[in-house]
Amino acid sequence: MKKYRNLAVKSTACILSAAMLFGSGFSAAAAGSDIPKDENVYVNLNQDGSVDGIYVVNAFRLEKETDIVDYGKYDSVKNLTIDEELTKKGDTITTTAPAGNFFYQGNLKTKEMPWEITIHYYLDGKEMQADELAGKNGSLKITIHVGKNDSVDEEFFENYLLQATVTMNMDNCSSLKAAGATVGNKGTSKQLVYNIMAGQEKDIVITADVLDFEMDPISFQGVPMSFDLDRDTLSMDSLYDKTGEIKDAANEFSDGAAELSDGAGALKDGAADLKDGANSLKEGIESYADGAYSLGDGVDTLKDGTDDLADGASELADGISSLKEGVDKLAGGYNGDEGAAAGAKKLAEGADKLKSGAGQLSDGVNSLVGMMQGIGKTDPLTQEKKEELVGLAQKVGYSEITDTNSVNAITLSGLSKYLQAQIIGILSSQGGGNAILEDKDSLKRLPEEQGKKDIQDTEETETADETDASEETEETEETEETEETMTAEEEPESTEEPPKSAEDSGKESNSEEDQGEADAAVSNVKYEKRYNAYTLATLDYQRKNWNDDRTKVMIIQAADLGTLPNPGDALVELLVAKAGVDQALGSYLAIGGIQGKLDDPTVQAQLKQLTEGASALKDGVASLADGAGSLADGISQLADGTNQLQSGVSELNDGGWELADGTKDLQSGVSDLVDGVKELTDASDDLKDGSGQLADGTGDLFDGTNDLLDGVGELKDGTDEFKEKTSDIDEKIDEEVNKVITNFSGSDFTPLSFVSDKNTNVNLVQFIMKTEGIKIPEKGKTETVEEPLTFWQRLLNLFR
């Protein structure tokens, strides 16, 4: 495979994920694929967006040395933590990893990613390859398409936020246009950042006029999408109240439509009767030609039909009035101070307040980080404690601490070593030590050099023992035998003088050499016995903090110093003094450790992650406020539509009453017609023609009432459907709000491995993808091949 290039990650999402990787801890409970790990997927992209190669850095945090079993379809693997080789059999990788952070790299066989990225470059309208654009001038257009790759598990595409970053150097471009980008300044360059939400595809278009064109690499970072949205803080009570009013109005609207349908049916019946009457009138007039009495019968039938028509028209007008009342109530549900439109406006105002609160939270986080930066810059010791340490140094004759200003970690470390030497001096003195400790001033004259010499003699003896195992056995047996045969009076004699060095032993006669070696071995054994006893007694003293005669006697006896009180008092006093000095020294070292941790780039990155996370929350709440504003606008538009419906129904109501008035006039006219029957008989021919036309007209009226009935039926069906659709409007609104919150929170997403489904305990998978930059080749300079970077170099480059 090609050599993998270094990926210098500069976007916010990747810095956050890198900080989480190296700053947070996770436990390694058991060996195998269940050990928690992070997968950092690095992708080298060609300049057209296609994949050149993929490698994965697997990161483990181990509490102890652990046998690792991991899985992945790799061409090759490399241990990035220690020099030990990894074992790869098929898709299984095994090794024994030390405690702490453990990393290894795997070069994947596949070149498939969850996203398909396509990049095109155009200069003056003509498509060109990226490497042909270096140094060119003209009108540049860059198009980037990010889509779903169906050949990869869709869980990554559906649950990951992808951030694309394009950097344009403004020294060699102008008239930059980048719709939909978040634009930031980076030196003399503009950094264009595009956020592609989980489950979405995106097309990016960037245009600019360029001169001697060059461009930094285009990078893409993918992390799990997660926004902390609390559903309980979104109050929908006002909206639910208004939706209840909408449902009530829908019921009334449906009832009014039913009444209108009944009235239309009655109108149809009246029109049918009118049609029948007109036909009878026609027949009567025709009969009138044969006789006047037939005409009278027809007029009576006509009068009956007009009466029915008047009744039907009145019922139609009543139905339309009921419809108008329902529409008026529906309009009232949207309008007014307590209407749905006002409720939506209050929701938008509440979202704006939430946006302000998120801004205050971001400011508070920044203040907290500033306070943390000041930790570790104070002196851990009080002035009183320093004065006690100055008194102790003067008491034991330690000249490096003269006043409180000279008390620090270095001088306290020296004082601790000085006291240690005094303690060793007491333990290593061989007889006559009691006379030195008659008073407290004798602490200044403790034989430090004698203690060092005894330790050196012990080390020389141990070296000699290692080179000659058989001789060691003989000498040890001889020493033990000598100790068993010595009397209580002979033991002090054997410890009065310090053991002789190898050089002094060489100057003695051969007859005395064996006895000298035996004496030295006995002395060393006794010194080791006292020193080990001192160590155990010191630990026991520090653990129980005893300060009674029993402890003093135990220390004296353990150190083989006799039972006089003065040596024990001095030794205990030195032990207590050294414990206090070590405690003060620990305070300085602890403060230094805190300051070192705060200065650590990883901790700084974590603090930066905290401030940038608060800023991201602030931006997310701002988006929520924009959505609430859009909801308020939509409900306002719905209210406007209802008002228009109200106006139309009012006109329909006016027309219905006009129709009722007209039928009453018709009814009155028919009555006049009865009175003028005699006059009609005189003009029977004309009346016959008129009756024919009336029959035709009533036929048309009947057809029209049929159409009206059909239209009212459709209106009733529509109002019934509207009633049905609004019956569960509360549940639908709540369901949609929960769906939006779930999509943004990412709460239902469980991390899974990108390299193998056998890896069952993955904390985090993040993607870092990057193209090569477009650079003008330097004249007269040959291309050099870069040396492969180590893992730590790549890690450091993440923060450059």
Side-chain angles (χ1 to χ4, degrees):
M1 292 181 66
K2 287 187 176 180
K3 177 188 62 181
Y4 286 90
R5 300 180 295 273
N6 177 39
L7 298 176
V9 179
K10 300 177 181 177
S11 69
T12 303
C14 189
I15 291 177
L16 291 177
S17 60
M20 289 189 293
L21 169 63
F22 299 107
S24 63
F26 50 86
S27 64
S33 61
D34 287 336
I35 297 176
K37 72 162 185 172
D38 291 350
E39 293 178 0
N40 302 280
V41 184
Y42 295 87
V43 184
N44 294 322
L45 299 177
N46 297 313
Q47 290 175 326
D48 62 356
S50 60
V51 177
D52 180 39
I54 305 173
Y55 69 95
V56 180
V57 175
N58 297 278
F60 298 83
R61 173 62 180 169
L62 306 175
E63 293 179 352
K64 61 181 181 180
E65 183 176 276
T66 306
D67 293 331
I68 297 293
V69 179
D70 202 20
Y71 303 92
K73 297 180 180 180
Y74 302 120
D75 274 331
S76 60
V77 293
K78 181 179 180 181
N79 193 327
L80 302 176
T81 303
I82 57 178
D83 293 333
E84 183 177 348
E85 294 290 332
L86 305 174
T87 301
K88 179 180 179 299
K89 293 183 179 180
D91 295 343
T92 304
I93 295 89
T94 59
T95 188
T96 299
N101 291 322
F102 176 74
F103 305 91
Y104 84 89
Q105 174 180 320
N107 302 324
L108 284 177
K109 298 177 181 179
T110 182
K111 292 187 178 182
E112 297 292 337
M113 293 295 299
W115 301 273
E116 287 184 346
I117 299 173
T118 306
I119 306 174
H120 293 283
Y121 305 85
Y122 303 87
L123 188 65
D124 296 332
K126 179 182 179 182
E127 184 172 2
M128 300 182 67
Q129 298 298 320
D131 54 2
E132 297 175 346
L133 289 172
K136 293 293 193 299
N137 308 325
S139 179
L140 174 69
K141 181 172 78 171
I142 302 174
T143 64
I144 304 173
H145 174 74
V146 179
K148 179 182 179 182
N149 186 354
D150 293 329
S151 62
V152 179
D153 192 338
E154 67 177 5
E155 287 295 315
F156 293 97
F157 182 84
E158 295 295 337
N159 293 281
Y160 270 60
L161 170 71
L162 188 65
Q163 187 179 77
T165 304
V166 180
T167 304
M168 302 295 290
N169 189 345
M170 300 310 293
D171 287 341
N172 59 2
C173 73
S174 60
S175 302
L176 177 64
K177 294 182 180 179
T182 300
V183 182
N185 293 321
K186 181 185 176 184
T188 61
S189 298
K190 294 288 187 182
Q191 195 169 61
L192 312 177
V193 179
Y194 299 86
N195 289 317
I196 305 168
M197 307 303 284
Q200 294 184 356
E201 298 188 352
K202 193 175 187 67
D203 286 300
I204 299 170
V205 178
I206 302 170
T207 61
D209 295 330
V210 298
L211 180 67
D212 296 330
F213 178 69
E214 287 184 315
M215 187 175 74
D216 289 339
I218 300 174
S219 63
F220 303 85
Q221 293 81 39
V223 293
M225 189 172 75
S226 177
F227 297 93
D228 188 11
L229 299 178
D230 189 357
R231 174 65 177 85
D232 295 335
T233 62
L234 301 178
S235 177
M236 307 292 289
D237 294 341
S238 298
L239 182 58
Y240 291 156
D241 292 341
K242 299 310 174 184
T243 55
E245 295 177 7
I246 292 174
K247 288 191 287 187
D248 294 339
N251 291 333
E252 294 178 3
F253 192 15
S254 178
D255 295 339
E259 293 178 3
L260 179 61
S261 178
D262 295 338
L267 177 61
K268 176 185 176 183
D269 294 338
D273 292 339
L274 178 60
K275 179 181 178 182
D276 294 338
N279 290 330
S280 297
L281 177 61
K282 177 182 177 182
E283 293 172 0
I285 292 176
E286 290 175 349
S287 297
Y288 179 72
D290 301 329
Y293 293 103
S294 297
L295 177 59
D297 296 336
V299 171
D300 291 338
T301 302
L302 175 62
K303 186 177 183 302
D304 293 339
T306 55
D307 290 340
D308 293 338
L309 177 62
D311 294 339
S314 296
E315 291 178 1
L316 174 62
D318 292 338
I320 294 175
S321 296
S322 298
L323 173 63
K324 182 177 182 299
E325 290 176 1
V327 172
D328 290 341
K329 290 182 180 179
L330 177 62
Y334 283 111
N335 301 318
D337 295 337
E338 299 299 326
K345 183 178 179 181
K346 292 179 182 178
L347 175 62
E349 291 173 353
D352 289 335
K353 292 180 181 179
L354 181 61
K355 177 180 178 181
S356 175
Q360 294 176 2
L361 173 62
S362 179
D363 295 338
V365 170
N366 291 331
S367 299
L368 174 62
V369 172
M371 292 174 61
M372 292 181 66
Q373 299 290 352
I375 297 177
K377 303 187 183 301
T378 58
D379 196 323
L381 299 183
T382 63
Q383 187 68 15
E384 181 180 359
K385 184 64 177 179
K386 290 184 177 181
E387 290 174 357
E388 291 179 4
L389 292 170
V390 171
L392 174 63
Q394 292 174 351
K395 182 178 180 179
V396 301
Y398 182 66
S399 61
E400 295 298 323
I401 297 179
T402 58
D403 54 21
T404 57
N405 293 329
S406 62
V407 176
N408 53 50
I410 296 176
T411 56
L412 288 178
S413 177
L415 178 57
S416 176
K417 294 178 180 178
Y418 180 81
L419 293 173
Q420 175 77 3
Q422 307 309 307
I423 293 169
I424 294 176
I426 291 176
L427 297 174
S428 62
S429 62
Q430 303 182 18
N434 298 338
I436 299 176
L437 300 171
E438 291 296 327
D439 53 57
K440 292 183 179 180
D441 291 338
S442 65
L443 291 174
K444 299 179 182 180
R445 302 189 301 273
L446 292 174
E448 177 182 355
E449 292 302 320
Q450 179 62 44
K452 293 181 180 179
K453 183 176 183 301
D454 288 343
I455 293 174
Q456 180 179 359
D457 291 342
T458 302
E459 292 175 350
E460 291 175 356
T461 303
E462 291 174 352
T463 303
D465 290 343
E466 292 174 358
T467 56
D468 191 349
S470 61
E471 182 179 347
E472 176 190 14
T473 304
E474 294 173 0
E475 290 180 356
T476 302
E477 293 174 352
E478 181 181 351
T479 302
E480 292 175 350
E481 187 177 332
T482 304
E483 283 189 280
E484 292 173 357
T485 56
M486 286 177 63
T487 64
E489 294 158 355
E490 290 172 335
E491 267 187 30
E493 234 173 276
S494 65
T495 57
E496 273 185 11
E497 294 181 358
K500 293 187 174 79
S501 65
E503 182 179 354
D504 293 336
S505 298
K507 294 178 181 180
E508 295 182 359
S509 65
N510 294 333
S511 61
E512 298 174 349
E513 184 175 352
D514 294 338
Q515 182 62 38
E517 290 178 354
D519 291 342
V522 171
S523 176
N524 288 335
V525 168
K526 289 185 175 296
Y527 168 73
E528 290 177 1
K529 175 180 177 184
R530 289 196 302 276
Y531 189 81
N532 292 334
Y534 147 71
T535 302
L536 294 174
T538 300
L539 292 176
D540 191 56
Y541 174 79
Q542 291 176 343
R543 177 171 60 86
K544 299 181 180 178
N545 198 20
W546 290 349
N547 192 18
D548 54 19
D549 293 335
R550 183 168 62 87
T551 305
K552 295 176 184 179
V553 172
M554 179 190 68
I555 295 173
I556 294 169
Q557 292 177 347
D560 198 15
L561 294 174
T563 58
L564 291 178
N566 286 344
D569 290 342
L571 183 59
V572 171
E573 185 174 356
L574 286 173
L575 290 174
V576 173
K578 185 176 184 301
V581 171
D582 290 344
Q583 181 179 7
L585 176 60
S587 298
Y588 273 102
L589 297 178
I591 290 296
I594 292 174
Q595 184 61 42
K597 286 291 184 182
L598 290 175
D599 292 338
D600 191 290
T602 300
V603 177
Q604 293 295 325
Q606 291 175 326
L607 295 177
K608 184 176 181 183
Q609 172 192 2
L610 180 62
T611 56
E612 291 178 347
S615 177
L617 174 62
K618 177 180 177 182
D619 295 340
V621 172
S623 299
L624 177 62
D626 294 339
S630 299
L631 176 62
D633 293 340
I635 293 180
S636 296
Q637 293 176 3
L638 185 58
D640 293 339
T642 304
N643 292 334
Q644 293 177 4
L645 176 61
Q646 182 183 28
S647 176
V649 172
S650 296
E651 293 179 2
L652 179 62
N653 183 60
D654 295 339
W657 285 112
E658 290 178 0
L659 176 61
D661 292 339
T663 56
K664 288 180 180 180
D665 292 340
L666 177 61
Q667 186 181 29
S668 178
V670 171
S671 296
D672 293 339
L673 180 63
V674 173
D675 294 336
V677 167
K678 292 181 179 180
E679 295 178 4
L680 289 176
T681 58
D682 295 336
S684 59
D685 291 337
D686 295 336
L687 184 58
K688 182 179 181 180
D689 296 336
S691 64
Q693 294 176 0
L694 178 61
D696 294 337
T698 54
D700 294 337
L701 176 62
F702 178 79
D703 295 337
T705 54
N706 276 333
D707 294 338
L708 176 62
L709 182 61
D710 294 338
V712 172
E714 293 178 0
L715 175 61
K716 184 178 183 303
D717 293 339
T719 56
D720 291 341
E721 183 179 0
F722 180 66
K723 177 181 176 180
E724 180 182 356
K725 294 296 185 183
T726 56
S727 63
D728 59 345
I729 188 171
D730 294 344
E731 291 81 4
K732 290 182 178 178
I733 291 175
D734 197 65
E735 182 179 72
E736 290 302 318
V737 170
N738 288 334
K739 187 182 298 182
V740 171
I741 291 176
T742 300
N743 290 338
F744 275 88
S745 66
S747 58
D748 58 347
F749 174 67
T750 301
L752 69 160
S753 173
F754 176 71
V755 297
S756 175
D757 55 7
K758 296 180 181 178
N759 298 323
T760 58
N761 198 355
V762 177
N763 284 332
L764 173 67
V765 178
Q766 61 181 2
F767 299 85
I768 304 101
M769 298 167 278
K770 187 176 180 182
T771 68
E772 289 185 338
I774 300 175
K775 298 294 183 182
I776 300 174
E778 295 183 16
K779 296 181 179 179
K781 186 175 181 179
T782 58
E783 183 177 358
T784 59
V785 178
E786 296 180 358
E787 290 294 328
L789 298 178
T790 66
F791 168 76
W792 295 112
Q793 289 172 328
R794 290 196 294 271
L795 178 60
L796 291 175
N797 285 339
L798 290 174
F799 301 95
R800 292 176 179 168

